[in-house]
Amino acid sequence: MALLLDSRLLMRRVKDLRCFTPRRHRVKEKWAATRIKYPPTGLALQYFDATYGSQLGKLWPSIRVALLSERKYGALLNNFCHDDVLAGLEAQGSSDFISDTDTEDQTSEEESSCVSMKTSDADGQPLPNLQFSPHIKCSVFPRADITRFKPARPDIYGLLGYYLMDAASVLPCLALGVQEGHNVLDLCAAPGGKTLALLQTQCIGFLCVNDSSVSRTLRLKRVLRSYVPKQLLNDEKLRITSIEGTKWGEIERNTFDRVLVDVPCTTDRHSLMEHDNNIFSKSRTAERRRLPQLQLELLLAGIEAARPGGEIVYSTCTLSQTQNLDVVEQAIYMAQEKHGIHLQVVDLRPLTHMFRKTFHFAPDLHLGEMVIPHLAANFGPIYMCKLRRLT
């Protein structure tokens, strides 16, 4: 009896029983028929470890853990919905992070159609004012609270109350600073979250929405029909196109007051978590390597499309310096050398001060700002840089 118990304990400790199986009965596992030997998520993680490990240094281990953890979402409120959605979300414990900011001075809505924020840097020096529409609202749960939002319900007109997205993705729309009557171009609009955020400002004179992919544009149209009244989806207020974004400067030059260039990128979190449509699939290697060049061409097209005095926001959802800082630097240089366009970098540090309670920002970026994922508030990554066209 004791011998039987000892053998059972031994078998429990042995993980690989092939050593007890006669050789003639052993079967080699067929990898090709069971699982991918090198899945794209694994390739992405290897690439990020090598690239971001040297780029981010001591920050990378904690960012790595956050990227591999469950993603946290925010609820972008739909002002066109007739239900009191905000009250319902607040009852669940969430709050609008845009109105819940650390600021020294806030101008009331009666004094201005835009919210104006003044902040100070570490040395007490005042930073430039940042103005944005008071109508954009995005609810999030507190830090370390991973409660999920329930699916949005339609109102009596069939419009959904909120759109679930990474809350950090709202920041480029706030940074764009859309004001009353502006003509706005969203150059790479699909799937539509940032387009919806821009429409929430309720002050755009004309919005042009573009994506080079026809299938993604169809998805964008379905999203807009679920959130925006039909009377606003007309050619006078909104135009949806499927044109190659890199050619936009040749189509409409010197036209728009504001241009959002939210470019395709390695989409770090998706690349680590999803096999489908993963840019690190071996069949998409050439496409991934061409990303920085594509991003540069898109940003230059957005710069050309902006009018003198207009502003452009470039954004990605990657930590890659090659796709962020390097692209912006090249665009500034090439815009001046090849097109005679002079640009000024707009200081976005007020965003880091206003929303430091909600997001974690990368320290000491000399060009633009970047939200880095952190377990306490697992949003991002989002990089953004704002340029003002001078000539």
Side-chain angles (χ1 to χ4, degrees):
M1 187 67 180
L3 181 61
L4 178 61
L5 291 175
D6 290 342
S7 63
R8 287 181 179 177
L9 291 173
L10 177 63
M11 294 296 288
R12 287 180 183 176
R13 294 178 181 178
V14 176
K15 296 182 180 179
D16 191 352
L17 299 179
R18 286 179 297 177
C19 59
F20 297 102
T21 305
R23 184 177 296 276
R24 64 180 179 277
H25 296 306
R26 296 179 190 178
V27 178
K28 183 179 179 181
E29 185 178 5
K30 295 180 176 59
W31 282 67
T34 56
R35 57 187 172 187
I36 303 173
K37 190 172 183 179
Y38 301 105
T41 52
L43 295 175
L45 184 57
Q46 292 178 17
Y47 177 83
F48 293 158
D49 281 336
T51 306
Y52 298 159
S54 59
Q55 175 185 318
L56 298 171
K58 295 180 179 179
L59 290 174
W60 172 236
S62 62
I63 296 174
R64 185 184 194 271
V65 173
L67 282 173
L68 292 170
S69 303
E70 183 177 357
R71 184 176 187 171
K72 192 172 179 179
Y73 285 91
L76 175 69
L77 269 67
N78 183 19
N79 293 319
F80 303 110
C81 179
H82 290 75
D83 296 340
D84 189 2
V85 178
L86 182 59
L89 294 177
E90 289 177 343
Q92 299 176 31
S94 66
S95 61
D96 174 28
F97 81 84
I98 300 175
S99 61
D100 184 19
T101 56
D102 287 341
T103 56
E104 297 176 359
D105 179 45
Q106 179 170 331
T107 304
S108 66
E109 294 183 27
E110 291 78 10
E111 296 174 350
S112 174
S113 60
C114 294
V115 176
S116 176
M117 300 292 185
K118 294 181 180 179
T119 56
S120 300
D121 60 15
D123 299 326
Q125 298 297 322
L127 295 176
N129 287 357
L130 180 68
Q131 293 187 336
F132 55 81
S133 170
H135 301 297
I136 300 180
K137 300 181 184 299
C138 185
S139 286
V140 297
F141 287 102
R143 289 191 177 194
D145 186 342
I146 59 173
T147 304
R148 294 186 178 185
F149 288 100
K150 298 177 181 179
R153 294 183 178 181
D155 64 4
I156 58 174
Y157 298 101
L159 301 179
L160 298 176
Y162 52 83
Y163 181 86
L164 296 181
M165 62 189 298
D166 192 310
S169 297
V170 180
L171 296 181
C173 302
L174 296 175
L176 199 60
V178 176
Q179 298 179 24
E180 190 70 36
H182 273 171
N183 292 331
V184 181
L185 169 64
D186 189 352
L187 191 58
C188 309
K194 292 183 178 65
T195 300
L196 280 177
L198 292 174
L199 288 171
Q200 300 311 310
T201 63
Q202 300 183 1
C203 64
I204 294 178
F206 178 77
L207 175 62
C208 183
V209 179
N210 179 74
D211 198 278
S212 59
S213 170
V214 176
S215 61
R216 287 168 60 87
T217 304
L218 292 175
R219 179 185 173 188
L220 170 63
K221 290 180 179 180
R222 290 195 295 269
V223 169
L224 293 179
R225 285 195 293 267
S226 299
Y227 289 88
V228 182
K230 291 183 179 180
Q231 59 269 26
L232 297 181
L233 299 177
N234 56 67
D235 294 338
E236 295 181 2
K237 291 287 185 179
L238 179 70
R239 186 172 80 220
I240 303 175
T241 59
S242 295
I243 300 173
E244 179 57 51
T246 58
K247 307 296 183 183
W248 201 273
E250 303 171 8
I251 299 171
E252 286 185 292
R253 189 188 299 264
N254 307 330
T255 302
F256 296 94
D257 301 288
R258 297 288 187 270
V259 179
L260 176 62
V261 188
D262 182 49
V263 296
C265 63
T266 49
T267 319
D268 293 354
R269 190 184 293 273
H270 177 86
S271 296
L272 288 174
M273 304 299 288
E274 302 290 340
H275 292 305
D276 294 338
N277 196 32
N278 194 312
I279 193 70
F280 281 87
S281 299
K282 289 189 175 181
S283 60
R284 302 182 67 184
T285 301
E287 178 185 352
R288 187 178 75 249
R289 289 175 176 172
R290 189 183 176 274
L291 276 176
Q293 180 61 33
L294 173 63
Q295 293 159 347
L296 175 60
E297 293 174 5
L298 287 168
L299 179 52
L300 285 172
I303 291 171
E304 290 184 80
R307 65 168 180 79
E311 296 178 343
I312 307 100
V313 169
Y314 173 82
S315 65
T316 72
C317 49
T318 178
L319 298 165
S320 171
Q321 180 174 331
T322 305
Q323 300 176 61
N324 295 335
L325 304 179
D326 293 353
V327 169
V328 173
E329 288 178 341
Q330 291 181 63
I332 293 173
Y333 173 79
M334 293 184 65
Q336 180 174 345
E337 293 297 316
K338 292 191 173 183
H339 305 287
I341 298 175
H342 292 78
L343 298 165
Q344 176 188 19
V345 179
V346 179
D347 193 349
L348 288 180
R349 283 181 297 165
L351 281 176
T352 67
H353 289 260
M354 291 165 56
F355 301 122
R356 62 184 179 268
K357 287 175 58 178
T358 305
F359 305 107
H360 290 263
F361 291 88
D364 303 326
L365 285 186
H366 70 278
L367 200 63
E369 301 292 341
M370 182 166 64
V371 178
I372 55 177
H374 189 281
L375 281 175
N378 202 9
F379 299 116
I382 293 293
Y383 170 80
M384 54 192 167
C385 180
K386 186 173 185 178
L387 304 172
R388 180 178 293 119
R389 181 172 170 177
L390 303 179
T391 58

